[in-house]
Amino acid sequence: MTTQTAAPPSTTYVANARPLWQRLLLTRSTAMVVLLVVAYAYAYNQVEFFDGKLTIYFLLMDMAPILLMALPMTLVIITGEIDLSVASTLGLSAVVTGLLVHDHGWSVPAAALLALAVGALAGALNGFLVAYVGLPSLAVTIGTLALYRGIAVGLIGTKAISGLPQSWRDLANRHIGASSYPMIVVPIVVLAVLFAVLLHFTPFGRGIYEIGLNAETAHFSGVDVRRSKLLLYVLSGVVSAFAGVFYLLRFDSANTDTGTGLELQVIAAVLLGGVSIFGGRGDLLGVLAGVLLIGVLSSALRLQQTGSDVIEIVIGVLLVLSVISTQLLERLRALRVRTRRTERSASAPVVGDESRKVKS
């Protein structure tokens, strides 16, 4: 006697429902890269002087601090947190480095190492208050934004520091060989690869996404939520300090206003690159494309004699449209998932006496 029972419908994961080429190409990151290429091609062919040899050099030099700080900021925002103190950490590190070299006779490498340590301590304070004390990251980093800037004021007052060794200033402004690319691109690429590997190819990176989706669930699945957040804030502080040292050497100047406002550009670039402000979604490719897109637009508009206020309006509109489009895509994705689940439930056979056929 043979019994045949209707098999239950097979489970299909929504993330893998689309063909591989769609999952690779039809993404927010790919859209940002395409938009960057289109914007650059248009500016190169239509904007006067944009095709000059020094355009790409100054574009990358101007965006270098933002590119650097956007790397750890991406990971922080994916966890659902934020760090508004990055520009103040940059300014404080530039002041510490300049003060030690100019007033106390330290070598640039030694002063830079101490500045990196200062950045690590600044990030650790943010991470401790957010992860272990449980304070909101927005409130904490607004407070430390003012705190770190106030420490810089206490160190140098209203004076500006300049007169650093010419050899180190030349290094910060050097080209790569005979190309139009500045030397700072090398550490940016190295750090971008390291952060990409950390985020996308390690258990720690998977834990970051889990924290952003649901911190409590991540904790019960074995992710050390507090330690992960602390480490990310420390990384944010160290990279911001490195950006501060570069900023100082490039301009041979550090004062209490160094880097003011850069935190908003960093956050704008990260959100423009497709990272959800609510956490749990985003990647570094889209963020890097977002930073460079802002740089291309800013450079092209400046060459057309556009005022800085108009440039800020354009970037602000892009950011608002980016957030709106992200929310619309999320809602469409959720609606599609609900529709598929409803269709599967409606088509699933009822397993009971009527679905069994017994043959003797």
Side-chain angles (χ1 to χ4, degrees):
M1 187 166 63
T2 306
T3 303
Q4 295 181 345
T5 305
S10 59
T11 302
T12 302
Y13 291 97
V14 177
N16 297 321
R18 296 184 301 167
L20 178 62
W21 69 271
Q22 291 186 10
R23 283 181 274 142
L24 292 177
L25 297 180
L26 301 183
T27 64
R28 178 62 177 269
S29 297
T30 304
M32 288 303 305
V33 172
V34 171
L35 188 58
L36 170 63
V37 172
V38 171
Y40 184 84
Y42 177 82
Y44 189 87
N45 290 284
Q46 300 297 326
V47 178
E48 189 177 8
F49 305 122
F50 192 87
D51 58 348
K53 293 183 179 180
L54 293 179
T55 299
I56 189 66
Y57 171 81
F58 284 110
L59 188 156
L60 291 173
M61 289 290 281
D62 291 341
M63 301 308 294
I66 300 174
L67 282 166
L68 288 167
M69 292 186 290
L71 296 174
M73 182 71 80
T74 300
L75 278 63
V76 170
I77 294 181
I78 288 176
T79 65
E81 306 293 353
I82 199 167
D83 186 358
L84 293 174
S85 68
V86 289
S88 294
T89 304
L90 178 152
L92 176 59
S93 301
V95 166
V96 168
T97 305
L99 192 63
L100 291 174
V101 173
H102 185 269
D103 291 2
H104 299 280
W106 285 41
S107 66
V108 171
L113 285 176
L114 184 60
L116 294 181
V118 169
L121 289 174
L125 177 60
N126 288 334
F128 175 76
L129 294 175
V130 171
Y132 287 89
V133 179
L135 299 177
S137 58
L138 181 63
V140 168
T141 55
I142 286 177
T144 53
L145 177 153
L147 172 63
Y148 302 153
R149 190 69 65 180
I151 294 175
V153 173
L155 289 174
I156 63 172
T158 59
K159 71 176 183 179
I161 298 174
S162 60
L164 298 177
Q166 185 65 44
S167 59
W168 287 98
R169 291 160 52 192
D170 292 341
L171 178 63
N173 291 277
R174 183 177 300 172
H175 294 250
I176 299 177
S179 69
S180 299
Y181 298 99
M183 187 66 70
I184 189 62
V185 168
V186 176
I188 289 175
V189 170
V190 171
L191 287 174
V193 171
L194 292 177
F195 274 96
V197 171
L198 179 67
L199 179 61
H200 298 295
F201 300 101
T202 66
F204 180 80
R206 290 191 291 273
I208 290 174
Y209 284 104
E210 291 179 23
I211 294 170
L213 293 171
N214 191 312
E216 185 176 357
T217 302
H219 172 72
F220 285 110
S221 65
V223 177
D224 192 330
V225 176
R226 294 187 298 180
R227 186 177 64 182
S228 298
K229 289 183 178 182
L230 176 63
L231 178 58
L232 291 181
Y233 276 103
V234 171
L235 289 175
S236 180
V238 171
V239 175
S240 298
F242 177 73
V245 174
F246 165 74
Y247 202 97
L248 169 69
L249 294 176
R250 181 196 175 188
F251 294 106
D252 187 28
S253 176
N255 54 50
T256 55
D257 293 330
T258 297
T260 300
L262 287 180
E263 65 278 346
L264 298 181
Q265 296 185 50
V266 173
I267 294 171
V270 171
L271 297 183
L272 183 62
V275 177
S276 173
I277 191 63
F278 303 107
R281 186 178 297 277
D283 59 64
L284 283 172
L285 178 60
V287 170
L288 294 176
V291 175
L292 294 176
L293 176 62
I294 291 177
V296 169
L297 293 176
S298 300
S299 179
L301 290 172
R302 281 197 298 268
L303 288 173
Q304 292 182 319
Q305 307 300 318
T306 304
S308 59
D309 53 341
V310 176
I311 295 175
E312 291 179 0
I313 290 173
V314 171
I315 294 174
V317 170
L318 277 177
L319 178 59
V320 171
L321 292 177
S322 172
V323 174
I324 292 174
S325 64
T326 300
Q327 293 305 306
L328 287 176
L329 290 174
E330 289 290 339
R331 294 186 179 185
L332 289 174
R333 188 179 292 109
L335 179 61
R336 191 163 56 244
V337 170
R338 287 196 299 269
T339 302
R340 288 174 178 171
R341 288 176 179 173
T342 302
E343 291 175 351
R344 287 201 300 268
S345 300
S347 62
V350 178
V351 180
D353 293 335
E354 293 80 11
S355 65
R356 297 181 180 178
K357 294 182 181 181
V358 179
K359 294 183 179 181
S360 56

